[in-house]
């Protein structure tokens, strides 16, 4: 039985990861400022604590864990990251957590630690053509992310790699691309486009309309949570440090995303395009490196993941309506 620490265990990916690691039979401690919102955690130990505080980090990293997954970060959807209103908090909070965690892991002689970076660290000029974005891992430099969130991820990637070089920590760095699925934010202003669109479609009348930020021709790819966990665990236990993309290479426009969700819901909807924070014009995961180094890449279709997510969000809406 491994002893595993999951930081950010109250969040979307962290709460799913704890479930998965428990199902494997490991002893798991989770840490977060909050409990998972939609389900009770199966963690053996769950500590409510603020990882910006060095003494909290030293307390929760109290042993030589076999694996540490560092997912805690100040983040949200486009409405949180791209308005510029939260830049100082995003940079300060996430960088402080990463500095504290690496220092404590090094002092405990912990060897294996996973870090979740983001596709948001890629240069914005490589993502201006919606039909041909470049997100190869080696296109990261010269760096020019389009948000302070991306700059902080880049700094922290480098921090993890520096601890790897200088202190022999087996750091594993992934660049996640738009992870979605059940138990994620869907109505609190931090939701990403798949959840927001599932909610809008579920709440719309057949034949009605839904609002879409921008002209809907911007492209993205979206990775279902189960595939994200598979890639995360495979990378952590592999001999490859990264950074490596963990994402889907099934690229769609936002308009196509709406069409898929509408067809799952069995609704005909008119799209009304309104101004809103957008991010880059195009982004897609390049999976050449992950295939090469892990002999694995995500393969679940976007539609299959959206079916599960739509079912869960519709259920949340039904429950809310019944509670009133
Ligand atoms: P999330 O916001 O649901 O989870 C992050 C968790 O970190 C939250 O539960 C939050 O409470 C916790 N946290 C924040 N500040 C903390 C603090 N000071 N002390 C303790 N806990 C704190 O986000 P997520 O979608 O689960 O993402 C997990 C990681 O993956 C993050 O690092 C994120 O940047 C990265 N990532 C996610 C995506 C995605 O599409 N979800 C894409 C790229 C990168």
């Amino acid at each position: 039985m491994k002893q595993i620490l999951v930081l950010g265990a109250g969040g979307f990916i962290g709460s799913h990861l704890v479930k998965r690691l428990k199902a494997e039979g490991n002893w798991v401690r989770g840490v977060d400022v909050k409990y998972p919102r939609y389900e009770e955690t199966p963690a053996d130990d769950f500590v409510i604590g603020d990882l910006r505080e060095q003494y909290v980090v030293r307390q929760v990293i109290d042993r030589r864990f076999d694996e540490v997954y560092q997912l805690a970060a100040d983040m949200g959807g486009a409405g949180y990251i791209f308005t510029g209103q939260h830049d100082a908090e995003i940079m300060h909070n996430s960088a402080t957590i990463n500095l504290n965690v690496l220092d404590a892991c090094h002092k405990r002689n912990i060897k294996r630690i996973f870090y979740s970076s983001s596709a948001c660290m890629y240069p914005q000029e490589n993502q201006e053509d919606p039909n041909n974005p470049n997100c190869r891992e080696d296109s990261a430099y010269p760096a020019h992310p389009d948000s302070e969130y991306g700059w902080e991820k880049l700094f922290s990637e480098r921090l993890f790699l520096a601890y790897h070089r200088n202190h022999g920590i087996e750091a594993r760095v992934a660049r996640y691309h738009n992870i979605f699925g059940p138990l994620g934010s869907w109505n609190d202003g931090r939701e990403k486009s798949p959840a927001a669109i599932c909610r809008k479609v579920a709440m719309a009348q057949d034949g009605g309309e839904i609002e879409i930020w921008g002209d809907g021709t911007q492209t993205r790819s979206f990775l279902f949570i189960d595939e994200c966990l598979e890639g995360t665990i495979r990378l952590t236990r592999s001999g490859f440090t990264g950074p490596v993309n963990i994402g889907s290479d099934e690229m769609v426009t936002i308009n196509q995303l709406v069409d898929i969700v509408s067809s799952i819901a069995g609704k005909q909807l008119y799209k009304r395009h309104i101004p809103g924070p957008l991010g880059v014009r195009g982004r897609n995961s390049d999976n050449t490196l992950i295939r090469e180094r892990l002999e694995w890449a995500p393969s679940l279709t976007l539609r299959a993941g959206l079916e599960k997510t739509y079912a869960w969000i519709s259920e949340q809406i039904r429950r809310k309506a019944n509670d009133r």
Side-chain angles (χ1 to χ4, degrees):
M1 186 197 273
K2 284 184 182 162
Q3 300 216 355
I4 300 183
L5 179 66
V6 178
L7 304 169
F12 167 53
I13 301 172
S15 59
H16 278 279
L17 183 61
V18 168
K19 263 206 292 197
R20 164 89 189 243
L21 293 168
K22 277 308 300 167
E24 278 184 353
N26 302 294
W27 187 92
V28 180
R29 168 177 292 161
V31 184
D32 204 299
V33 286
K34 60 180 175 60
Y35 288 109
R37 189 180 313 170
Y38 303 107
E39 262 184 18
E40 209 161 292
T41 177
D44 298 278
D45 184 29
F46 196 102
V47 180
I48 294 290
D50 188 335
L51 296 165
R52 289 172 302 180
E53 301 290 350
Q54 214 168 13
Y55 75 92
V56 172
V57 177
R58 294 300 299 277
Q59 268 170 11
V60 296
I61 303 182
D62 62 351
R63 67 194 73 185
R64 203 171 163 186
F65 285 100
D66 299 298
E67 292 171 4
V68 174
Y69 293 85
Q70 191 339 55
L71 303 165
D74 193 5
M75 70 163 296
Y80 186 76
I81 292 174
F82 295 118
T83 56
Q85 286 163 8
H86 310 280
D87 287 350
E89 288 95 319
I90 288 171
M91 296 188 89
H92 171 87
N93 294 344
S94 297
T96 306
I97 295 170
N98 289 317
L99 288 161
N100 286 346
V101 166
L102 274 166
D103 178 57
C105 285
H106 171 49
K107 287 179 175 148
R108 286 270 175 225
N109 205 13
I110 288 171
K111 285 294 172 222
R112 202 156 280 256
I113 170 158
F114 169 89
Y115 174 60
S116 51
S117 179
S118 163
C120 289
M121 46 60 61
Y122 284 114
Q124 44 185 297
E125 47 280 355
N126 291 1
Q127 301 172 76
E128 277 163 8
D129 177 358
N131 299 315
N132 203 16
N134 176 9
C135 289
R136 274 178 62 94
E137 287 82 349
D138 59 9
S139 71
Y141 297 96
H144 192 202
D146 70 333
S147 65
E148 301 304 349
Y149 170 78
W151 278 106
E152 189 283 325
K153 287 294 187 193
L154 201 53
F155 164 77
S156 290
E157 279 190 5
R158 297 187 69 96
L159 186 68
F160 275 77
L161 297 177
Y163 270 76
H164 173 63
R165 284 195 308 277
N166 296 161
H167 298 309
I169 287 189
E170 292 294 338
R172 299 289 178 259
V173 179
R175 294 173 179 159
Y176 285 160
H177 290 241
N178 285 320
I179 316 302
F180 75 101
L183 311 182
S185 281
W186 62 279
N187 67 343
D188 63 359
R190 288 190 173 217
E191 63 276 17
K192 306 261 184 59
S193 43
I197 289 168
C198 284
R199 184 196 69 231
K200 289 178 187 179
V201 169
M203 294 179 81
Q205 302 280 0
D206 190 14
E209 65 170 30
I210 62 168
E211 290 183 342
I212 311 290
W213 285 349
D215 64 6
T217 59
Q218 66 272 34
T219 53
R220 291 290 184 278
S221 70
F222 302 96
L223 183 69
F224 190 62
I225 181 69
D226 292 0
E227 298 271 70
C228 167
L229 301 182
E230 186 65 33
T232 298
I233 292 172
R234 279 177 187 254
L235 175 65
T236 304
R237 295 175 185 168
S238 77
F240 182 45
T241 304
V244 64
N245 293 325
I246 294 189
S248 161
D249 55 6
E250 184 184 343
M251 187 169 80
V252 291
T253 65
I254 297 301
N255 286 331
Q256 286 169 332
L257 180 68
V258 174
D259 291 341
I260 299 173
V261 177
S262 305
S263 112
I264 290 169
K267 294 181 185 178
Q268 295 272 4
L269 297 170
Y270 170 75
K271 304 180 199 76
R272 192 149 65 85
H273 297 283
I274 58 164
L278 292 178
V280 294
R281 289 297 300 156
R283 181 171 290 150
N284 191 19
S285 183
D286 183 320
N287 287 349
T288 317
L289 186 64
I290 196 168
R291 271 198 198 97
E292 203 176 286
R293 301 305 298 260
L294 300 189
E295 296 178 354
W296 174 88
S299 56
L300 191 81
T301 62
L302 174 60
R303 189 182 174 100
L306 283 171
E307 280 169 359
K308 295 182 196 191
T309 309
Y310 183 79
W312 181 78
I313 290 177
S314 311
E315 178 58 25
Q316 302 308 303
I317 293 170
R318 256 194 304 278
R319 279 195 200 165
K320 260 189 170 250
N322 289 343
D323 287 350
R324 279 203 203 107

